[in-house]
């Protein structure tokens, strides 16, 4: 299962589905919205984060908190409405 970690333009990290609205410093086990596949998480980002220009990068993480994939918003300084091709991070 995978989770989404959004990075704001100020560098704060937010976990999708976290019960707290505050930025996090580390990812706790058992918190956040779970996605069954990388494709499902990517579709969610494209659909739900399209108009949220406060986030310039998203990271899709696994159960251990390791980054599986990351995507960056296109446009000048990451302010566009489309998400660039995700970088797949190798372990």
């Amino acid at each position: 299962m995978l989770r989404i970690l959004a990075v704001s333009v100020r560098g704060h990290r937010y976990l999708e589905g976290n019960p707290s609205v505050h930025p996090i410093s580390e990812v706790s086990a058992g918190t956040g919205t779970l996605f069954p596949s990388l494709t499902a998480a990517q579709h969610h980002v494209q659909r739900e984060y399209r108009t949220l220009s406060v986030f310039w990068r998203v990271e899709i993480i696994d159960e251990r908190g390791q980054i599986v994939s990351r995507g960056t918003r296109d446009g000048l300084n990451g302010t566009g409405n489309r998400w660039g091709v995700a970088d797949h991070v190798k372990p």
Side-chain angles (χ1 to χ4, degrees), residues 3-4 15-19 24 26-34 61:
R3 296 179 284 175
I4 295 174
L15 183 64
E16 172 81 23
N18 190 12
I24 61 169
E26 66 180 51
V27 179
S28 303
T31 59
T33 304
L34 298 175
I61 57 175

Side-chain angles (χ1 to χ4, degrees), residues 14-88:
Y14 297 89
L15 183 64
E16 172 81 23
N18 190 12
S20 170
V21 297
H22 301 291
I24 61 169
S25 56
E26 66 180 51
V27 179
S28 303
T31 59
T33 304
L34 298 175
F35 295 90
S37 68
L38 183 58
T39 304
Q42 289 172 334
H43 284 286
H44 180 80
V45 168
Q46 290 173 353
R47 186 179 60 246
E48 300 297 327
Y49 285 67
R50 171 170 241 154
T51 59
L52 299 176
S53 61
V54 67
F55 297 115
W56 74 279
R57 168 175 274 171
V58 292
E59 298 170 346
I60 300 173
I61 57 175
D62 62 12
E63 296 89 5
R64 298 178 316 230
Q66 302 297 314
I67 300 170
V68 175
S69 180
R70 90 176 38 106
T72 306
R73 189 180 292 279
D74 69 357
L76 179 64
N77 294 326
T79 57
N81 282 338
R82 292 184 36 212
W83 288 92
V85 176
D87 302 325
H88 298 284

